Amino acid sequence: MALINKIREKSGVAVTVIAISLILFMVGGDLLGPNSILGGNSNQTVGEIAGKEINIKDFQTRVDGFRQNYEAQSGRSLNENELASLRDQAWNQFIVDIAYKKQFDKLGLAVTDDELVDMVQGNHISPSILQAFSDPTSGRFDKSAVINYLKNLKTLPVEQQKSWTSFETSLREERIRSKYENLLKLSTYIPKAQAEKEYIAQNTKATTRYLYVPYFSIVDTTIKVTDSQLESYLSAHRSEYKGTDTRSIEYVSFPVQPAKDDSTALYNEIKELARGLATAQNDSSYAKMNSDIPLPMNMSLANMSDQLKEAVKSFVPGGVYGPYREGNTYFIYKYDGTRTDTVSSAKASHILIRAENQSDSAKAAARVRAEGILAQIRAGANFEALAATSSADPGSAQRGGDLGYFQNNGAMVKPFEEAVFSASAPGLIPRLIESQFGFHIIKVTATKNNTLYRIAAIGKTIAPSQATRDEAYRKADEFANSVKTKEQFDAAVKKDKGLVVATANRIPESATNINAIQNGREIVRWAFKEDSKINSVSQVFETEEQYIVAVLTGKSDQDNVKVDDFRDELTTKVRNELKAEQITAKLKGATGDLETIAKKYGAGALIETANDISLATGFLTSAGFDPIALGKVFGLKAGQKTGVFTGENGVFIMELINKTDAPKIADFTQNKTQLTQSLESRSSYLVNEAIRENAKIVDRRAKFF
């Protein structure tokens, strides 16, 4: 019986693995919100795939089947996120059954019963069976366990029999998908001419000088863009701007924050807990039983809060300390001394300089820039200020490069970790450290420490009382009832200085979160309701620890693309076109060498040199990767100069200094192999996109859940 339960457990894992594999093959995970068929929706079609309508009842039946199987395997009910994931799995199964099956049938692909038997207990065992029936200790597969399980299948509970049937169905789907995918990969072909062209693009090198006037050299505010210009640009580039159904809102939040009385009550409670912790026979058990949040018994400096790092310096073994408040949580600590750990902690700051791309020239440029910053710091420049303005790590840059404490257990990349933990004293590491992320300039602020502090900790979070919640709702409800239009909404916000308006633009219909608001599905559903008009105000929504009142400020329609749907992007494009015209007019007709032309143009014209660039990965210092400029320069002969032309980010005149042709080779097999592997790795994704596009999928799930 124990073996059967074990197999049941494993087969459930295998079903999940196969299902996830299938989903990833198709589209990946795209979670939906809570299930709710409300609002009197008369259209009971949840979607359409390849001309076939999917009724909500059929869809829900499949979701229920997945849920029953999942709950039978896990032994518990699903949470909302898990249920949303199963709905997504059910939808993708419909896509397989309808759109993919058409492709499978056209190619005559199938998995016969004999093939299934061979996959389960024959000579070509499925990887999923191998995983489900292998010994977890030794990893050895036991075919007899599979056979015995199948012999006893009819004696097992009905739910387990259903589970096995579902498992076998997944095996068939996995195999036919694998056949289809392999067929596509094996049909990939790269001709010699293409391999040769790629080889030449990668290995032909050029040195160029160029005049470059970037768009940003002209101040945006000096270029006026009209709505008619935006309309004209959109009309000419309609295919580049795909419409989507989205909504934009503004909203105010009425947070449910603990009141003074709530804080006082908790403070008194934790003082009682402190007395109990001081006299507890087993302080770790007492702390674990009474803490709202799990806290480790042995803490290094790396996992202590800043407040505790300072406080622990004065702790005496046996003492109870606190309460300390951090946000809405009070902490008390009982200290029981220290011990030495095998893992060390250290603290450091860094400035990260990344290359623009993976080309040698880009890496060289990044190294030069990093060495320049390091030289400035060694000469006395402020590390924190340079980190804030120069580091490519946004998380630490805003803290002056500070990474806080971390351990030498792989938390940081190896070169970085080795440099920090080999430092014998705090201070600047006088060399660049290179990792896969770029070049690091590192300042060690606390050298390695392998001390562990034994601390029994209790954390109690202040929870708002019902009276506090009621008061927050009363304010939100009073606000919502006093405003009916956007104009009234704005006036009420202006009158109440405590309210702050937040904006959420282009919210998709399937969204579950809005900015930092979790579980905002009901707000999204309100915004997409047919009777929600522009400038109308919502009712009060409750989301976690706050109440929300929103006003609908914008709509976009996938079948009717408007300028306002892409106003910022279109404005940038049109403004750059106008700048290009202005720059070109000023440069046109200029004669002489590049320096003479730049001098005549005036401020904003840059003269730069790019050495040994290739057509495939060429990088221009200030302009970055500009395929138009690269194409122009590789079409020149040595000593030739282009006319004025517009690139990706500015206006150019290119001059070719010299060009070294790629060395002649007779065998392009390696190049063909690289291109083939690259194409094979993308084939599954590309064909999936083609199948989905051809199926003309209409997904209306967001109207029901």
Side-chain angles (χ1 to χ4, degrees), residues 154 159 220:
K154 290 185 178 180
E159 289 303 320
D220 285 353

Side-chain angles (χ1 to χ4, degrees), residues 510-548:
S510 61
T512 56
N513 300 336
I514 300 174
N515 293 341
I517 300 173
Q518 303 295 315
N519 299 324
R521 185 71 192 129
E522 288 307 309
I523 303 175
V524 177
R525 287 175 60 80
W526 164 78
F528 276 88
K529 286 174 63 176
E530 290 185 8
D531 57 354
S532 293
K533 307 300 182 184
I534 297 292
N535 294 330
S536 63
V537 180
S538 74
Q539 72 271 27
V540 178
F541 296 105
E542 182 178 4
T543 63
E544 294 188 349
E545 297 304 318
Q546 57 189 326
Y547 294 101
I548 302 293

Side-chain angles (χ1 to χ4, degrees), residues 300-303 309 343-349 402-409 411-412 416-423 442-451:
S300 69
L301 292 173
N303 53 25
K309 285 190 194 84
V343 177
S344 298
S345 301
K347 185 180 181 185
S349 299
D402 183 21
L403 295 165
Y405 278 91
F406 50 89
Q407 296 179 319
N408 59 340
N409 56 0
M412 298 294 179
F416 188 99
E417 187 176 278
E418 288 177 347
V420 171
F421 283 91
S422 63
I442 304 172
K443 182 172 74 171
V444 178
T445 49
T447 52
K448 65 180 180 181
N449 182 310
N450 61 351
T451 300

Side-chain angles (χ1 to χ4, degrees), residues 351-371:
I351 299 171
L352 175 64
I353 305 299
R354 294 185 194 271
E356 292 290 336
N357 55 55
Q358 292 303 306
S359 67
D360 292 341
S361 59
K363 290 181 180 178
R367 178 183 284 276
V368 169
R369 184 175 174 227
E371 286 174 342

